């Protein structure tokens, strides 16, 4: 195949940051995607309906002129989030979901939830209002191996949560294991997003010839058998699995450090990276539904009507792009890629 025409996709899991960083990264997403579910892990986080409205205004102001983009806002769940806040958020129409970070799990998660059961009153309201709960599905126990944190989260937290709230609509975000795939397949009212890095790379990439901080994200890359399970799920045509890049911009300096930040930046070339992954298993015919149909269907939003075109053409991913005080290194920098968005 030399040319691929798709309904314009949406990104169902995206970090846009704020201020100068927001201005630097947003044009990349706007070029490819019509809408995005915007993560609320700012400093301080987006905790209230009022915070979400103000952040949405800042995003709208950063959209390059003449371009169309719709940010879909989320609230950051804390131990103190009230059911009333969820009701106000739902009524606003702007807030499409609520994000759960276990306290201490990842970037800017220090305001996150210390014990998921503390949020049961909020979950009850969310279940009633059909407000999706987006899970960073990892436990934070120091005793649990970093490669097992998703699997243990499913067992210790997610299974009991689904028993307490069977109708709560859940998205298990950026899944990385066959355990997550199997759980999503076996349960109702749960879907999952899958990132390009987890489809394209296994954990060997973190140490290929030396330590490679630009492949470090959370949840961390896993073994090859898990990558295979994700690729199978993404290309299966099952509407429970859809696109969410988790593009998470950090400057080169903050990644190339003795204690580097977690996050891969893929907004530059996300749809091309997914095309590479789907083509690797001869499943390009499944890309459009994964990228453009199943997400809006889950969120009960209309599908986009515009189209984009990808051309079969080899190009090299740049080593660095302008960002803030230092540049930003895109996922797979320096490597060749064989699809290009026209
Ligand atoms: O790698 C990650 N980066 N994982 C997350 O959960 C957060 C994200 C970020 O905000 O940088
Ligand atoms: Zn994320």
């Amino acid at each position: 195949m030399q040319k691929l025409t798709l309904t314009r996709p949406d990104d169902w899991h995206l970090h846009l940051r704020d201020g100068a960083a927001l201005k630097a990264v947003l044009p990349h997403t706007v070029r490819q995607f019509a809408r995005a579910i915007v993560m609320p892990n700012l400093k301080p986080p987006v905790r209230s309906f009022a915070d979400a409205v103000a952040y949405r205004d800042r995003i709208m102001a950063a959209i390059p002129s003449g371009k169309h983009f719709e940010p879909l806002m989320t609230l950051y769940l804390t131990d103190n989030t009230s059911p009333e806040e969820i009701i106000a958020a739902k009524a606003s129409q702007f807030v499409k979901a609520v994000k759960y970070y276990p306290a201490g799990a990842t970037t800017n998660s220090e305001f996150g939830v210390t014990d998921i059961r503390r949020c049961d009153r909020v979950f009850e309201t969310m279940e009633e209002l059909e407000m999706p709960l987006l899970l960073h599905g990892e436990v934070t126990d120091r005793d649990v191996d970093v490669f097992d944190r998703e699997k243990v989260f499913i067992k210790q937290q997610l299974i009991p949560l689904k028993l307490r709230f069977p109708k709560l609509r859940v998205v298990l975000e950026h899944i990385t294991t066959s355990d997550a795939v199997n759980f999503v397949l076996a349960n109702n009212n749960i879907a999952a997003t899958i990132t390009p890095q987890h489809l394209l790379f296994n954990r060997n990439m973190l140490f290929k010839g030396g330590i490679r901080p630009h492949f470090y994200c959370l949840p961390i890359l896993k073994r090859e058998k898990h990558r295979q399970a994700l690729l199978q799920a993404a290309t299966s045509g099952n509407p429970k699995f859809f696109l969410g890049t988790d593009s998470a911009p950090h400057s080169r300096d903050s990644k190339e450090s003795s204690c580097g930040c977690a996050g891969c930046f893929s907004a530059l070339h996300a749809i091309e990276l997914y095309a590479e992954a789907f083509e690797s298993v001869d499943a390009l015919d499944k890309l459009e539904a994964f990228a453009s149909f199943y997400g809006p269907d889950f969120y009960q939003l209309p599908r986009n009507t515009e189209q984009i075109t990808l051309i079969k053409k080899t190009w090299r991913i740049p080593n660095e792009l302008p960002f803030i005080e230092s540049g930003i290194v895109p996922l797979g920098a320096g490597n060749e890629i064989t699809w290009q968005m026209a």
Side-chain angles (χ1 to χ4, degrees), residues 30-42:
V30 169
R31 193 176 74 84
Q32 301 207 329
F33 298 102
R35 298 171 287 195
I37 284 277
V38 181
M39 288 298 123
N41 62 332
L42 303 182

Side-chain angles (χ1 to χ4, degrees), residues 13-15 39 41 99 101 136 174 218 246-248:
H13 183 125
L14 176 67
H15 298 269
M39 288 298 123
N41 62 332
K99 178 68 190 271
Y101 287 104
H136 184 108
H174 41 53
L218 288 171
D246 199 17
S247 178

Side-chain angles (χ1 to χ4, degrees), residues 47 59 73 78 81 130-131 141 147 151 173 179 196 210 234 238 264 269 283 314 317:
R47 282 170 288 189
I59 297 169
M73 308 311 292
T78 73
T81 305
E130 296 196 16
M131 173 72 93
D141 297 66
F147 293 99
K151 182 170 86 181
E173 297 285 355
D179 310 84
N238 188 320
C264 297
H269 51 340
T314 300
I317 302 168

Side-chain angles (χ1 to χ4, degrees), residues 196-229:
Q197 63 267 28
H198 294 104
L199 290 175
L200 287 167
F201 308 112
N202 65 38
R203 66 191 197 176
N204 284 351
M205 199 49 153
L206 287 162
F207 308 108
K208 195 179 163 198
I211 193 154
R212 291 179 176 263
H214 298 289
F215 290 92
Y216 172 58
C217 66
L218 288 171
I220 199 160
L221 296 176
K222 303 295 192 299
R223 303 179 166 271
E224 178 62 9
K225 72 169 185 202
H226 293 297
R227 188 184 77 89
Q228 292 290 342

Side-chain angles (χ1 to χ4, degrees), residues 30-326:
V30 169
R31 193 176 74 84
Q32 301 207 329
F33 298 102
R35 298 171 287 195
I37 284 277
V38 181
M39 288 298 123
N41 62 332
L42 303 182
K43 257 182 170 170
V46 178
R47 282 170 288 189
S48 67
F49 154 60
D51 294 342
V53 171
Y55 184 32
R56 184 177 184 279
D57 288 345
R58 298 197 295 280
I59 297 169
M60 295 303 285
I63 298 172
S65 62
K67 302 283 183 197
H68 182 78
F69 177 72
E70 193 184 350
L72 308 170
M73 308 311 292
T74 60
L75 290 191
Y76 185 115
L77 191 64
T78 73
D79 286 350
N80 303 315
T81 305
S82 67
E84 291 70 36
E85 198 65 58
I86 306 297
I87 294 167
K90 176 78 183 185
S92 80
Q93 309 268 339
F94 289 139
V95 175
K96 299 297 186 202
V98 175
K99 178 68 190 271
Y100 164 86
Y101 287 104
T106 187
T107 310
N108 300 347
S109 63
E110 53 274 21
F111 290 87
V113 174
T114 57
D115 178 349
I116 198 163
R117 284 172 194 269
R118 286 192 176 207
C119 302
D120 277 5
R121 279 180 60 241
V122 168
F123 296 149
E124 215 176 289
T125 304
M126 289 174 62
E127 188 175 46
E128 229 164 79
L129 297 179
E130 296 196 16
M131 173 72 93
L133 175 66
L134 314 184
L135 295 176
H136 184 108
E138 289 193 290
V139 293
T140 53
D141 297 66
R142 277 157 199 251
D143 301 343
V144 177
D145 190 278
V146 67
F147 293 99
D148 294 334
R149 287 181 180 173
E150 184 175 275
K151 182 170 86 181
V152 174
F153 176 85
I154 293 168
K155 194 160 167 230
Q156 287 184 353
Q157 320 257 352
L158 185 52
I159 293 174
L161 178 75
K162 287 298 291 173
L163 287 172
R164 295 201 300 286
F165 302 100
K167 293 204 178 113
L168 181 63
R169 295 167 60 73
V170 172
V171 183
L172 191 51
E173 297 285 355
H174 41 53
I175 58 169
T176 63
T177 59
S178 59
D179 310 84
V181 169
N182 293 337
F183 185 83
V184 170
L185 287 173
N187 287 274
N188 293 327
N189 300 316
I190 182 160
T193 53
I194 308 183
T195 76
Q197 63 267 28
H198 294 104
L199 290 175
L200 287 167
F201 308 112
N202 65 38
R203 66 191 197 176
N204 284 351
M205 199 49 153
L206 287 162
F207 308 108
K208 195 179 163 198
I211 193 154
R212 291 179 176 263
H214 298 289
F215 290 92
Y216 172 58
C217 66
L218 288 171
I220 199 160
L221 296 176
K222 303 295 192 299
R223 303 179 166 271
E224 178 62 9
K225 72 169 185 202
H226 293 297
R227 188 184 77 89
Q228 292 290 342
L230 299 174
L231 207 43
Q232 158 64 26
T235 59
S236 65
N238 188 320
K240 290 181 148 207
F241 301 99
F242 48 84
L243 184 157
T245 64
D246 199 17
S247 178
H250 291 279
S251 67
R252 179 193 279 277
D253 287 356
S254 62
K255 298 275 301 170
E256 297 176 6
S257 143
S258 61
C259 188
C261 295
C264 297
F265 176 65
S266 60
L268 170 73
H269 51 340
I271 195 65
E272 292 106 329
L273 292 169
Y274 283 109
E276 295 281 319
F278 276 60
E279 189 177 42
S280 74
V281 288
D282 205 12
L284 279 173
D285 59 320
K286 299 291 200 302
L287 180 61
E288 182 180 40
F290 172 83
S292 314
F293 297 163
Y294 301 151
D297 294 354
F298 178 87
Y299 279 88
Q300 301 169 335
L301 293 168
R303 294 176 180 179
N304 296 320
T305 50
E306 249 186 82
Q307 293 188 318
I308 64 163
T309 303
L310 303 183
I311 312 284
K312 191 76 186 162
K313 183 182 167 205
T314 300
W315 58 288
R316 198 172 287 282
I317 302 168
N319 289 326
E320 185 174 312
L321 297 170
F323 186 48
I324 40 175
E325 64 277 4
S326 71

